[in-house]
Amino acid sequence: MSPEPRLALSKPVSDEVRKTTCYMCACRCGIDVHIKDGKVRYIEGNRDHPVNKGVLCAKGSAGIMQHYAPARLSSPLLRTGPRGSGEFKPISWDEALSLAVDWMGEVRTRDPKKFAFFTGRDQSQSLTGFFAQQFGTPNYAAHGGFCSVNMAAAGIMTLGGGFWEFGSPDWDRTKLFVMFGVAEDHDSNPIKIGISKLKSRGARFVSVNPVRTGYSSVADSWIGIRPGTDGLLVMSVIHELLKGRKIDVDSLVRYTNAPWLVIDAPGTAEHGLFARDGEGKPLVWETVTERAVAAGTKGARPALSGRFELEDGRVAVPSFQLLAERYLDERYAPENVAGETGVAAEVIRGLASEIARVAFEEAIEILQPWTDMNGERHPSFVGRPVSFHAMRGISAHSNGFQTARAIHVLQALIGAVDCPGAFRFEPPYPKPVEAHPTPHGKAEHFGSNKPLSGPHLGFPRGPEDLLIGPDGNPTRIDKAFSWDAPISAHGLMHMVIANAHAGDPYKIDLLFLYMANMAWNSSMNTAGVIKMLEDRDEATGEYVIPRIIYSDAYASEMVAYADLVLPDTTYLERHDCISLLGRPISEPDSVNDAIRWPVVEPDRDVRGFQSVLIDLAGRLKLPGFVDHRGVPLYKDFADYIVRHERRPGIGPLAGFRGAGGDRVGRGASNPDQLKRYIENGAFFSAHLPLEAQFYKHANRAYQDFAVKMGFFDTPQPVTFQLYSEICQKFRLSAQGLREPLAPETHRERLEMAFDPLPAWYRPLEEAGVDREAYPYHAVTQRPMSMYHSWGSMNAWLRQIHTRNVMYVPGAICDDVGLATGDWAWIISHHGRIKVEIARSDAVNRDTMWTWNAIGKRKGAWGLAKDAPESNRGFLLNHLIHELLPPKGDGMRWSNSDPVTGQAAWYDLRVRIEKAEPDQVSRPAFASVGRAGAANDSPSELRYGQEWDR
Ligand code: SF4
């Protein structure tokens, strides 16, 4: 409960207040929805909610216009004209579901991999993933591959959890906060609340970002780095810290793999792997007895440097020795990276010395005894109050995995992980890689009318876990977990349509998408993707992707390309579950989950997608959704949330379990669980005891708590992996030294990307184009007031932005002869766009930028034909191709990080040429047919009148 006194802000405006969870961005704040005469009257923040504590942003309060948007779909639709025409006929739900079941059931029997199910910014992935697993297709993922999988994968593989949904800065105690590449859409309100706390305490905030908008504009120091070089900057900071011996040696020995011995046997299959004992435990060199012992041996004093001969004659060195040799190299000296990063040597040096000063001279202590996993009792929690946060700005590069790893290594080197004042894990994290599944989708994992033998997404421990056939070809349509992208923990949604169209690795029969605007702003090469969706097979006349089912609440551009449309409700009209099994909303000191529930009933013939999925699963008789007689187990999603158990006693929600609702984490299902959530403000929160709040990776009290809550069945402590043996295994395969061997065509790329220590390489598009012909970077930023294309049709939010311009640095404007209001061609290796520009000096001098996802296609989203969004607004996507420029041998790699398959949106290189003034941005697309409810959208929206149907 909030301790602050409450002021009555205004007279009651409603008959009733219903508490639920916002869905106007990914942050999932608690909201109070005021209802008057059965309609939504007003939305405000829930002051008791653990995420936002009453704070509400512009998007959140404009949810009312999202709910009443003219763009809402109003009934199931069956396509009657060609794809893209927008010609549909409304059909009944019975007809729509029968058709979907016919299509899906036939594919499931014949060849389940020909069914591809991908979801966009879906917040119910524990259900959608389970559905796909029980269906038995290997082809499922959500949107993480084109968002921030590099952050997630690097965080889990290094620390057991990374930024955002895995952890958060210790806003109340941190004294120096360093943020890399973050716009304002993820974790939006908590960051704003956090920054305001820093400001009021006088803590220092440094933002590293090519563009000085939003958070960067209120930072104490803005480092306007050149895109794609953050990793190099961080490595240079590490160089300085090592040189100055400003590292936390005790923490390295206790909590990281710095002392683990790495075999030095060049040219062999074990070179670079950890030396292990007979039980597989990694070895360290014990300095007193001068022999190798298992890591974690009580009383051992491991070496961090040296070169040692093991009993079997092999030679090994502590991984820290390799790390130190790597980063002490002069190529990481500030002077030597200044040119590439665009950051002056003295700025890098200053950043390193400030990090060291705060970490070691301003250390803090909380006098709470605690016990580590070795049974050692500690009198207090020592904190190094330097915290970091990063997001898509560093993630969406083809070197983003290694950049994120570098930041985590930096945190571990100074001992600033899950201690007071630093980055802190949010339960159920940290979770070591070993506690995650390996991916499933090999040929032997699925078959006709059978569930997949395990979850789709996970973490390969080495090349032996890749989802490839005996011929080395990918078994997934997006080529996730293949040699193309071995650790693609979130799949590669951005490659699905292109691969399915090319029949590479095979054709599919049915594509089922949810909330993913793949015909517009969620695809690279938008015009190309539209053509792929429209293309027909010359021989049969059928579409190359024969059938597409799409579910969305709104008439997005993608709707026009679907054959069958299943209209979703708005977020105020359905049940939803923000689950610890999916994407948690915990805080460092508390375990939290939440629900949405229908605070108003739909007034259209629409159904919540999750309930529709459960209905489909019942009709398809998918195991786990029907009983042994084939009778559906669940009435709808609400019923599933309450009664589904993933493991005995573990269900989608952790709160109010057990027959009496008094169990937490583990417990029998409780028929009143949703009622209890609603009474509690639509969320549940369980506080960690103080003894369990820090050093969760090695804290006995936390690990016991995690087992009690059901996160794990046995304690899962984490040793931070500064040196990644998993990466080294892939590297050995790429070097032709370890089975299975990587195909020749992939070796160079994998060897470069799979460095076991964070390494920097030039982003692949930049390395593949003529840098003189395309001398600049072009990136997007997410507006604070909009969340993807969703918000940019919202009547209230459109009063803030209705069009975007390209912001061009003053120096480039002067070179090209441009001024604010001029028009210019922006040209990449793939295409050109004509846009209006504005001069800006709040940006890196080699970088131009624009707001993302404001440009719309005419006819979509219920907007008028002359809407600025579709006339003057534009997408950068037209310049970005899903494939890199051809190499010398004609091969074209995916425009992704070679480790994770993360879409490399921000690697784009461009040039700029002055153009004739215009009134319409180019390319100008023909109007897409106005499918569904958008046909009758009013020309003007007034609160409480026309929109209030
Ligand atoms: S930050 Fe996101 S979830 Fe929170 S109120 Fe704003 S839009 Fe809603």
Side-chain angles (χ1 to χ4, degrees):
M1 299 287 283
S2 167
E4 281 100 38
R6 305 241 163 132
L7 299 175
L9 298 177
S10 56
K11 283 195 289 184
V13 293
S14 50
D15 308 324
E16 189 185 351
V17 176
R18 297 183 173 175
K19 292 172 185 292
T20 185
T21 307
C22 186
Y23 202 163
M24 291 296 288
C25 85
C27 189
R28 297 158 294 174
C29 298
I31 49 172
D32 292 356
V33 182
H34 291 249
I35 310 286
K36 189 161 179 69
D37 301 328
K39 299 206 175 291
V40 182
R41 175 71 179 82
Y42 173 58
I43 297 174
E44 66 177 330
N46 175 353
R47 286 187 254 180
D48 296 324
H49 200 275
V51 170
N52 57 318
K53 299 170 183 71
V55 173
L56 195 72
C57 75
K59 301 182 293 268
S61 44
I64 188 168
M65 299 311 266
Q66 205 80 3
H67 176 68
Y68 290 115
R72 289 177 306 171
L73 297 170
S74 58
S75 76
L77 299 169
L78 184 65
R79 185 174 55 77
T80 52
R83 281 192 189 155
S85 65
E87 292 167 23
F88 289 88
K89 66 171 182 183
I91 57 173
S92 70
W93 273 102
D94 265 352
E95 206 180 334
L97 293 172
S98 302
L99 201 53
V101 167
D102 284 352
W103 293 355
M104 293 163 76
E106 190 275 327
V107 180
R108 183 164 189 257
T109 302
R110 181 167 46 80
D111 188 355
K113 73 173 184 301
K114 299 292 184 86
F115 172 68
F117 179 38
F118 285 81
T119 70
R121 289 167 179 89
D122 155 33
Q123 294 180 1
S124 52
Q125 287 159 26
S126 74
L127 169 71
T128 54
F130 186 59
F131 173 90
Q133 188 180 326
Q134 299 311 96
F135 184 96
T137 176
N139 293 317
Y140 162 80
H143 85 290
F146 63 68
C147 184
S148 291
V149 65
N150 272 337
M151 304 302 310
I156 284 168
M157 288 178 63
T158 312
L159 302 182
F163 302 117
W164 188 38
E165 288 174 317
F166 308 97
S168 145
D170 187 347
W171 297 114
D172 291 316
R173 302 180 186 91
T174 198
K175 297 182 182 178
L176 174 62
F177 173 50
V178 186
M179 177 187 254
F180 291 84
V182 180
E184 294 86 27
D185 60 336
H186 294 93
D187 215 17
S188 179
N189 279 341
I191 292 180
K192 286 177 220 150
I193 297 168
I195 290 175
S196 101
K197 284 183 177 175
L198 302 188
K199 295 270 167 193
S200 61
R201 287 194 293 106
R204 187 105 193 274
F205 167 28
V206 178
S207 177
V208 183
N209 195 319
V211 185
R212 191 173 196 176
T213 55
Y215 303 137
S216 298
S217 63
V218 297
D220 298 300
S221 306
W222 169 61
I223 299 179
I225 194 163
R226 198 168 73 76
T229 64
D230 306 70
L232 199 52
L233 171 76
V234 174
M235 288 167 211
S236 186
V237 169
I238 292 175
H239 171 93
E240 287 294 290
L241 294 172
L242 289 171
K243 232 169 114 180
R245 296 178 180 265
K246 296 290 187 187
I247 55 171
D248 187 335
V249 173
D250 181 58
S251 171
L252 286 173
V253 170
R254 285 178 185 276
Y255 306 125
T256 78
N257 68 5
W260 293 10
L261 292 173
V262 177
I263 299 166
D264 186 17
T268 72
E270 59 179 4
H271 178 63
L273 302 184
F274 291 123
R276 293 176 185 274
D277 67 10
E279 292 172 21
K281 286 189 185 150
L283 298 174
V284 298
W285 189 259
E286 211 285 309
T287 51
V288 179
T289 54
E290 297 195 359
R291 63 191 172 93
V293 299
T297 300
K298 225 171 178 173
R301 301 181 65 179
L304 285 181
S305 61
R307 187 175 167 81
F308 308 103
E309 190 174 322
L310 306 177
E311 277 177 10
D312 58 12
R314 292 179 303 172
V315 171
V317 298
S319 73
F320 182 78
Q321 164 112 2
L322 300 174
L323 183 147
E325 283 169 8
R326 162 74 60 89
Y327 302 115
L328 280 170
D329 191 291
E330 276 305 297
R331 79 188 136 121
Y332 297 109
E335 284 72 17
N336 295 332
V337 306
E340 192 76 64
T341 58
V343 181
E346 57 270 26
V347 172
I348 300 173
R349 213 164 258 129
L351 178 62
S353 88
E354 185 64 0
I355 288 172
R357 188 187 66 74
V358 176
F360 298 105
E361 292 171 30
E362 296 199 22
I364 54 180
E365 194 175 13
I366 294 180
L367 294 174
Q368 165 66 47
W370 65 285
T371 306
D372 69 24
M373 295 305 288
N374 289 327
E376 190 178 334
R377 193 81 174 145
H378 301 262
S380 63
F381 292 115
V382 174
R384 308 231 173 266
V386 181
S387 59
F388 296 84
H389 184 71
M391 202 51 205
R392 199 172 176 195
I394 63 158
S395 188
H397 288 288
S398 52
N399 59 11
F401 172 79
Q402 292 285 14
T403 298
R405 281 240 319 127
I407 297 174
H408 295 315
V409 166
L410 167 58
Q411 293 172 279
L413 281 172
I414 58 168
V417 182
D418 210 45
C419 62
F423 160 83
R424 295 179 59 201
F425 294 116
E426 296 173 341
Y429 294 92
K431 220 194 251 194
V433 169
E434 297 73 38
H436 290 262
T438 54
H440 290 75
K442 292 186 186 186
E444 62 268 29
H445 291 156
F446 62 92
S448 172
N449 290 324
K450 283 196 333 205
L452 197 70
S453 59
H456 296 83
L457 306 175
F459 286 86
R461 317 295 196 250
E464 52 280 10
D465 292 328
L466 289 180
L467 304 183
I468 52 178
D471 50 7
N473 283 334
T475 57
R476 284 178 56 113
I477 186 66
D478 56 356
K479 304 188 185 181
F481 306 110
S482 73
W483 293 112
D484 279 44
I487 307 182
S488 38
H490 292 174
L492 283 82
M493 188 170 188
H494 57 294
M495 295 307 296
V496 171
I497 291 172
N499 292 354
H501 179 265
D504 176 17
Y506 46 79
K507 299 259 186 216
I508 58 169
D509 293 327
L510 178 56
L511 176 61
F512 189 177
L513 297 173
Y514 172 51
M515 252 178 75
N517 198 13
M518 301 307 289
W520 196 243
N521 55 285
S522 291
S523 280
M524 297 173 166
N525 179 23
T526 306
V529 169
I530 289 171
K531 185 168 177 311
M532 292 173 203
L533 294 170
E534 290 173 342
D535 266 359
R536 293 174 188 264
D537 182 289
E538 279 181 20
T540 64
E542 293 295 318
Y543 285 110
V544 174
I545 300 175
R547 281 177 175 147
I548 299 175
I549 303 176
Y550 185 52
S551 181
D552 202 326
Y554 304 102
S556 71
E557 286 85 354
M558 185 63 214
V559 167
Y561 292 90
D563 304 313
L564 176 63
V565 179
L566 305 175
D568 193 9
T569 63
T570 72
Y571 68 104
L572 298 177
E573 296 167 320
R574 67 160 179 260
H575 280 100
D576 239 330
C577 177
I578 294 110
S579 170
L580 294 165
L581 301 179
R583 303 177 58 182
I585 51 161
S586 296
E587 294 289 312
D589 298 340
S590 61
V591 179
N592 309 316
D593 60 15
I595 63 162
R596 295 190 186 92
W597 59 288
V599 296
V600 283
E601 290 300 321
D603 57 357
R604 312 162 311 291
D605 193 14
V606 297
R607 295 185 184 175
F609 173 73
Q610 292 75 12
S611 287
V612 168
L613 206 59
I614 283 166
D615 190 338
L616 288 171
R619 291 172 191 240
L620 287 161
K621 304 203 181 308
L622 302 187
F625 290 94
V626 293
D627 67 15
H628 64 282
R629 295 161 300 167
V631 176
L633 286 170
Y634 308 109
K635 197 159 52 73
D636 53 21
F637 190 39
D639 193 24
Y640 174 94
I641 293 171
V642 171
R643 292 198 300 112
H644 174 71
E645 287 188 338
R646 196 54 62 87
R647 307 198 314 277
I650 307 286
L653 291 173
F656 309 112
R657 297 194 71 79
D662 53 357
R663 304 289 297 271
V664 173
R666 294 176 191 264
S669 68
N670 167 14
D672 285 335
Q673 192 181 33
L674 293 180
K675 187 166 161 274
R676 296 289 299 275
Y677 268 79
I678 291 167
E679 286 165 0
N680 197 52
F683 69 92
F684 174 78
S685 190
H687 279 264
L688 272 64
L690 181 58
E691 187 179 350
Q693 287 182 9
F694 301 97
Y695 294 96
K696 300 184 186 81
H697 46 281
N699 181 330
R700 170 65 67 187
Y702 174 75
Q703 293 289 329
D704 290 347
F705 174 86
V707 171
K708 199 166 138 219
M709 285 293 294
F711 304 157
F712 319 116
D713 291 332
T714 56
Q716 298 289 329
V718 182
T719 303
F720 302 149
Q721 301 293 301
L722 309 186
Y723 181 96
S724 168
E725 188 182 52
I726 293 176
C727 286
Q728 178 64 8
K729 286 183 181 170
F730 281 100
R731 199 174 219 208
L732 288 169
S733 294
Q735 290 167 340
L737 294 172
R738 187 177 183 276
E739 295 285 349
L741 302 184
E744 286 288 347
T745 43
H746 291 68
R747 289 189 178 180
E748 186 185 335
R749 186 166 157 272
L750 294 178
E751 187 175 1
M752 172 191 71
F754 276 88
D755 200 309
L757 288 167
W760 184 82
Y761 51 87
R762 185 161 284 145
L764 301 182
E765 179 168 329
E766 186 180 343
V769 297
D770 179 343
R771 296 174 77 203
E772 284 185 16
Y774 303 102
Y776 305 121
H777 301 266
V779 297
T780 56
Q781 290 266 306
R782 178 95 52 238
M784 194 175 281
S785 54
M786 288 173 179
Y787 181 52
H788 305 284
S789 47
W790 240 357
S792 43
M793 60 85 185
N794 181 299
W796 284 354
L797 300 178
R798 289 184 71 220
Q799 294 176 36
I800 302 172
H801 303 272
T802 50
R803 65 190 176 92
N804 51 326
V805 298
M806 183 67 94
Y807 292 96
V808 181
I812 302 176
C813 285
D814 292 342
D815 282 354
V816 185
L818 287 165
T820 296
D822 283 349
W823 286 68
W825 287 104
I826 315 291
I827 302 161
S828 74
H829 77 95
H830 169 58
R832 56 187 353 218
I833 57 176
K834 186 176 176 182
V835 301
E836 189 177 345
I837 72 112
R839 184 183 175 109
S840 171
D841 287 309
V843 60
N844 168 275
R845 59 145 296 137
D846 296 318
T847 306
M848 53 193 79
W849 72 277
T850 189
W851 296 119
N852 186 38
I854 288 179
K856 297 254 180 282
R857 188 160 169 187
K858 277 195 182 61
W861 295 101
L863 296 177
K865 279 211 168 65
D866 59 354
E869 287 85 347
S870 54
N871 287 290
R872 295 177 79 116
F874 63 91
L875 293 182
L876 221 51
N877 307 43
H878 302 306
L879 300 177
I880 307 172
H881 202 280
E882 71 272 12
L883 299 176
L884 291 167
K887 294 195 301 148
D889 60 4
M891 294 274 298
R892 294 189 72 177
W893 294 111
S894 144
N895 186 7
S896 308
D897 189 306
V899 178
T900 61
Q902 156 92 55
W905 298 100
Y906 296 156
D907 283 0
L908 178 65
R909 295 282 293 193
V910 297
R911 68 171 177 270
I912 184 168
E913 294 172 4
K914 190 166 182 174
E916 288 300 310
D918 215 332
Q919 294 307 310
V920 180
S921 56
R922 312 280 164 179
F925 285 75
S927 176
V928 75
R930 294 165 70 89
N935 282 325
D936 59 353
S937 57
S939 57
E940 193 175 322
L941 295 180
R942 281 202 206 98
Y943 182 81
Q945 294 177 24
E946 288 90 341
W947 53 270
D948 188 1
R949 294 186 284 181

